[in-house]
């Protein structure tokens, strides 16, 4: 109607999914209960100097115990969908048998969500590898991909009758390069060859996971979530960073194999027997949707001041501020680049619809106008991409709750909902109220 058109100046397509996202290790706490085994992040948090303030996964936002309360918050916001991850260390006992009690938590979560009309969107792996697997080489070990498939089947067998939306792996770039090259994330290794092996084994795990999902849930809508970055600056640096960040994952997933220019850059460290017959077909299993996690773009140059181990074979590349305002994490706020990214991904990989599986920012406080402005600008950018023909199906704000921001600990707050980590009191931020209006109006 006319009233709605004037009130909501930007309307999203009918059926557009409004969501918010979290991940298991970042919110659950209760890391030693109900048979949960140690993960690489538990071990990493115990390493002096690894995480700001020595913060750990406990008690976190205590979501494992406050789940009902948190689903009530989602209902208050009016979320269409909730993206969460399952903790692999909760699902399998140390001896590899299925931990029914650990899975029971997700079983109840899914039921709660469905009871409240919220679509569960399940991510199988958001960085919390069982430490026992790391002790056998972690993602640098090919066998981990097959263990992931076993784990995926255990989750599918328990939840596949009710969960339709699945993502295999969240941000394999972080697991591979921050985990094994720079060592900024768990398991904190600095080994270029291990990082490249991890890239391949994470992608192989994705492909095997897709196969398991297809076997068990024929109606599934499934894919993976990549943290993609638009890159600008010196041509060779752009090619290298775009290659290691974006194309090294998208090209194999969309059936093109690894990009030759990236293979040439990393040749010295790429293990000889890494890619076996059939692997690329497994990785190229058709997906239904590509999840994009968008936070910022990169401004790069051919010469950085100090070598950065993250960028295997391109350690000399420099990263520079654009001059844009920054969030509390120091990240440049670059909404327009989101339009370019979505348009470019859809043009270069036209096979599938897109969904923004994460977008958000760290800002302090409950009166968080900055977060409102951030989300509004990014939704405008997403809408502009839709206007240019991009098939964008949804938007998930990162994050529902303030939580454990990995190596940054609890100091950086991404939530729509404020969490007092001492009392576990939840308070809706101004942005949460604003987002609830956006959801109700399907725009703003
Ligand atoms: C996402 O990562 C994650 O999926 C989510 O869990 C996380 O909470 C959220 O975004 C916010 O960060 O300077 O070398 O330490 C986005 C990718 C990875 C970007 C870590 C910042 C710090 C790299 N993030 N990275 S480093």
């Amino acid at each position: 109607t006319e009233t709605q058109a004037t009130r909501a100046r930007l309307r999203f397509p009918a059926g557009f999914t409004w969501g918010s996202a979290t991940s298991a290790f970042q919110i659950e706490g209760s890391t030693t209960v109900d048979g949960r085994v140690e993960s690489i992040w538990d071990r990493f948090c115990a390493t002096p100097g690894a995480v700001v303030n020595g913060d750990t996964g406990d008690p976190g936002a205590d979501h494992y115990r406050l789940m009902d309360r948190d689903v009530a918050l989602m209902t208050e916001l009016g979320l269409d969908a909730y993206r969460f991850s399952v903790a692999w260390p909760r699902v399998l006992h140390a001896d590899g048998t299925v931990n029914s009690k650990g899975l029971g938590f997700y079983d109840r979560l899914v039921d709660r969500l469905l009871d409240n009309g919220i679509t569960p969107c399940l991510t199988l792996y958001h960085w919390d590898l069982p430490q026992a697997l790391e002790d056998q080489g972690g993602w640098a070990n090919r066998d981990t991909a097959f263990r992931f498939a076993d784990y995926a089947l255990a989750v599918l067998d328990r939840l596949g009758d009710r969960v339709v939306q699945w993502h295999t792996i969240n941000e394999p770039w972080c697991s591979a390069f921050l985990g094994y090259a720079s060592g900024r994330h768990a398991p904190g290794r600095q080994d270029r060859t291990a990082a490249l092996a991890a890239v391949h084994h994470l992608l192989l795990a994705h492909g095997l996971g897709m196969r398991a999902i297809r076997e068990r849930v024929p109606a599934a809508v499934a894919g993976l979530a990549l943290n993609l970055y638009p890159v600008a600056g010196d041509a060779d640096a752009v090619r290298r960073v775009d290659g290691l960040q974006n194309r090294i994952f998208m090209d194999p997933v969309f059936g093109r194999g690894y990009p030759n220019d990236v293979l040439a850059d990393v040749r010295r460290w790429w293990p000889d027997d890494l890619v076996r017959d059939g692997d690329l077909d497994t990785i190229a299993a058709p997906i239904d949707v590509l999840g994009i996690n968008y936070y910022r773009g990169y401004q790069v140059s051919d010469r950085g001041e100090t070598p950065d181990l993250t960028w295997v074979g391109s350690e000399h590349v420099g990263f520079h501020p654009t001059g844009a305002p920054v969030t509390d994490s120091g990240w440049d706020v670059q909404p327009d680049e989101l339009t370019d990214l979505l348009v470019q991904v859809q043009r270069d990989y036209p096979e599938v619809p897109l969904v923004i599986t994460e977008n958000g920012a760290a800002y302090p406080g409950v009166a968080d106008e900055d977060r409102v402005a951030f989300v509004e600008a990014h939704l405008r950018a997403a809408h502009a991409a839709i206007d240019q023909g991009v098939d964008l199906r949804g938007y998930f704000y990162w994050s529902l709750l303030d939580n454990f921001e990995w190596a940054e600990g609890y100091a950086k707050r991404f939530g729509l909902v404020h969490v007092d980590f001492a009392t576990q009191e939840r308070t809706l931020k101004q942005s949460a109220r604003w987002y609830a209006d956006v959801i109700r109006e399907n725009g703003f």
Side-chain angles (χ1 to χ4, degrees):
T1 72
E2 190 146 326
T3 338
Q4 276 169 333
T6 32
R7 209 186 305 142
R9 279 175 298 158
L10 270 194
R11 298 294 300 271
F12 281 74
F16 190 81
T17 297
W18 295 102
S20 188
T22 63
S23 87
F25 191 77
Q26 292 179 274
I27 63 165
E28 287 177 357
S30 298
T31 59
T32 57
V33 310
D34 294 344
R36 182 185 180 279
V37 298
E38 188 188 18
S39 80
I40 56 173
W41 272 95
D42 299 288
R43 181 70 64 92
F44 192 66
C45 288
T47 310
V51 176
V52 172
N53 292 325
D55 287 344
T56 72
D58 269 306
D62 209 12
H63 172 74
Y64 193 75
R65 296 196 300 161
L66 299 177
M67 181 267 282
D68 284 348
R69 171 91 182 77
D70 291 336
V71 175
L73 287 168
M74 298 175 212
T75 307
E76 210 173 324
L77 289 179
L79 296 186
D80 298 322
Y82 172 56
R83 175 172 178 252
F84 62 96
S85 77
V86 172
W88 187 345
R90 289 198 196 280
V91 171
L92 298 176
H93 289 296
D95 66 1
T97 59
V98 174
N99 177 10
S100 176
K101 212 164 182 190
L103 267 172
F105 170 73
Y106 302 102
D107 200 322
R108 292 192 300 280
L109 169 62
V110 166
D111 281 344
R112 267 273 170 276
L113 292 169
L114 293 172
D115 285 348
N116 286 279
I118 300 167
T119 301
C121 178
L122 188 156
T123 299
L124 285 164
Y125 185 71
H126 200 127
W127 308 357
D128 44 2
L129 186 72
Q131 178 64 38
L133 291 177
E134 179 56 35
D135 294 342
Q136 295 164 39
W139 287 111
N141 179 358
R142 181 178 174 90
D143 190 53
T144 299
F146 295 89
R147 299 288 74 77
F148 172 80
D150 297 341
Y151 152 67
L153 283 172
V155 178
L156 284 155
D157 283 341
R158 184 73 176 258
L159 304 176
D161 58 335
R162 283 155 292 154
V163 175
V164 175
Q165 297 191 21
W166 297 78
H167 290 285
T168 53
I169 309 274
N170 179 72
E171 301 188 352
W173 180 87
C174 294
S175 291
F177 292 111
L178 300 180
Y180 294 86
S182 76
R184 287 277 294 145
H185 280 189
R189 290 175 60 186
Q190 296 186 339
D191 175 339
R192 293 176 177 89
T193 296
L196 296 170
V199 167
H200 184 63
H201 298 144
L202 283 152
L203 283 169
L204 189 59
H206 158 72
L208 295 168
M210 287 300 305
R211 189 178 294 166
I213 292 168
R214 297 298 184 216
E215 266 168 26
R216 294 295 204 271
V217 187
V221 176
L224 81 173
L226 299 177
N227 53 325
L228 301 180
Y229 294 67
V231 193
D234 292 345
D236 187 61
V238 168
R239 178 190 66 70
R240 286 168 177 272
V241 172
D242 176 50
L244 279 172
Q245 179 77 57
N246 303 323
R247 291 182 286 121
I248 196 173
F249 298 104
M250 285 193 286
D251 280 11
V253 164
F254 289 106
R256 303 177 196 179
Y258 289 104
N260 285 321
D261 63 310
V262 176
L263 290 180
D265 294 340
V266 302
R267 193 176 38 223
R268 271 186 62 192
W269 301 282
W270 186 268
D272 281 337
D273 55 348
L274 184 60
V275 182
R276 305 209 186 148
D277 281 354
D279 284 3
L280 290 173
D281 288 338
T282 302
I283 293 169
I287 58 175
D288 305 305
V289 63
L290 176 65
I292 297 180
N293 296 354
Y294 179 75
Y295 288 92
R296 60 176 303 182
Y298 282 141
Q299 181 70 36
V300 298
S301 70
D302 287 335
R303 287 274 144 231
E305 270 167 32
T306 49
D308 183 343
L309 288 176
T310 315
W311 303 93
V312 176
S314 297
E315 292 87 354
H316 63 280
V317 166
F319 289 75
H320 308 279
T322 62
V326 296
T327 70
D328 198 32
S329 309
W331 303 350
D332 295 24
V333 177
Q334 295 179 271
D336 296 344
E337 284 77 353
L338 173 60
T339 311
D340 305 342
L341 176 73
L342 293 169
V343 168
Q344 196 181 323
V345 168
Q346 187 103 90
R347 186 196 62 210
D348 292 351
Y349 308 91
E351 291 89 341
V352 289
L354 307 178
V355 60
I356 296 173
T357 31
E358 292 179 26
N359 172 242
Y363 289 111
V366 171
D368 56 342
E369 294 98 353
D370 315 17
R371 179 171 288 101
V372 172
F374 181 98
V375 179
E376 178 168 339
H378 286 78
L379 288 177
R380 282 192 191 283
H383 197 277
I386 295 171
D387 281 343
Q388 291 178 49
V390 172
D391 185 1
L392 180 69
R393 299 288 174 89
Y395 176 92
F396 289 76
Y397 178 79
W398 180 273
S399 178
L400 177 72
L401 304 171
D402 289 339
N403 63 48
F404 177 77
E405 175 58 4
W406 306 112
E408 304 299 329
Y410 291 95
K412 301 284 179 260
R413 293 175 174 273
F414 279 81
L416 293 169
V417 178
H418 181 272
V419 177
D420 179 332
F421 294 109
T423 63
Q424 295 303 339
E425 190 183 339
R426 273 87 164 122
T427 310
L428 294 194
K429 299 181 189 180
Q430 189 180 316
S431 57
R433 300 182 189 286
W434 177 83
Y435 193 51
D437 288 343
V438 172
I439 296 171
R440 195 172 335 100
E441 303 282 335
N442 196 31
F444 52 87

